[in-house]
Amino acid sequence: MGAGKTTIGRALAKRLAYIFVDSDHEIAARTGVSLPTIFEIEGEEGFRKREAMVIADLASRRGQVVATGGGAVLRPENRDTLSSSGFVIYLNVPLQTLCERTRHDKNRPLLQVNDPLQKLRELHQQRDHLYRSIANVVLAGSRITVQSVLNLLIKEGGVSWKR
């Protein structure tokens, strides 16, 4: 949450002439309600089931950049789907930066707690190894830019991106 997936994803999709899709926005569009409402009615487990269905559907399409919600890696089927269907980039941003970026956002149900920084620590401890297990590239830092992503991909993989 707050790592820059949507910002970087949109710009990367534009650069590649791909479609950008945010899986959380797709879930909200398909259900017609906000994510906090889904969490309130169905709980996190209900949301994760919906998320897995959307990720499986999106993974079957080509020519797109997909930003998933931060907890998508919790389900083994999502990790399998993501790692087998595309190039996975993990944006690993310092927890203090994430806390600053998300502190006023009421649309992040998991952070509606007394100590959001502690919650981010717990989430990071729970998820970091899962992100790393499927990532083709791990980008660390708080000032990750689209240009740095493209440069790294070209350098690491010899990928020729559209101009």
Side-chain angles (χ1 to χ4, degrees):
M1 291 178 274
K5 297 180 302 288
T6 299
T7 301
I8 294 209
R10 283 183 201 270
L12 187 57
K14 183 177 180 182
R15 174 79 183 265
L16 298 171
Y18 284 2
I19 295 168
F20 173 75
V21 183
D22 180 304
S23 65
D24 283 349
H25 293 163
E26 187 68 16
I27 294 165
R30 290 182 186 194
T31 61
V33 298
S34 69
L35 299 189
T37 300
I38 295 170
F39 269 76
E40 182 181 324
I41 295 169
E42 299 179 1
E44 185 173 358
E45 182 60 24
F47 172 78
R48 296 291 172 213
K49 286 179 184 176
R50 291 181 181 278
E51 180 179 57
M53 290 187 297
V54 166
I55 288 172
D57 181 42
L58 294 174
S60 69
R61 305 175 191 178
R62 298 291 170 245
Q64 63 184 1
V65 172
V66 177
T68 66
V73 296
L74 294 173
R75 286 183 168 251
E77 65 266 33
N78 289 345
R79 293 193 303 274
D80 292 343
T81 298
L82 292 169
S83 63
S84 67
S85 66
F87 193 89
V88 178
I89 302 168
Y90 169 25
L91 303 176
N92 185 16
V93 176
L95 298 179
Q96 188 62 45
T97 301
L98 295 179
C99 192
E100 290 168 12
R101 290 179 183 174
T102 60
R103 70 176 179 244
H104 299 298
D105 190 341
K106 300 300 180 203
N107 288 316
R108 302 187 187 273
L110 294 178
L111 294 183
Q112 303 310 305
V113 295
N114 289 335
D115 189 349
L117 182 58
Q118 179 57 34
K119 182 63 174 182
L120 286 168
R121 281 189 195 103
E122 292 167 9
L123 294 172
H124 185 266
Q125 182 177 3
Q126 179 187 34
R127 299 172 178 179
D128 182 66
H129 70 283
L130 299 173
Y131 296 139
R132 290 176 188 281
S133 74
I134 64 167
N136 296 98
V137 169
V138 177
L139 299 177
S142 59
R143 299 205 181 272
I144 298 167
T145 66
V146 173
Q147 192 58 49
S148 66
V149 171
L150 292 175
N151 289 343
L152 181 67
L153 294 175
I154 291 166
K155 178 182 174 189
E156 294 295 318
V159 179
S160 176
W161 297 96
K162 297 177 184 179
R163 294 245 177 238

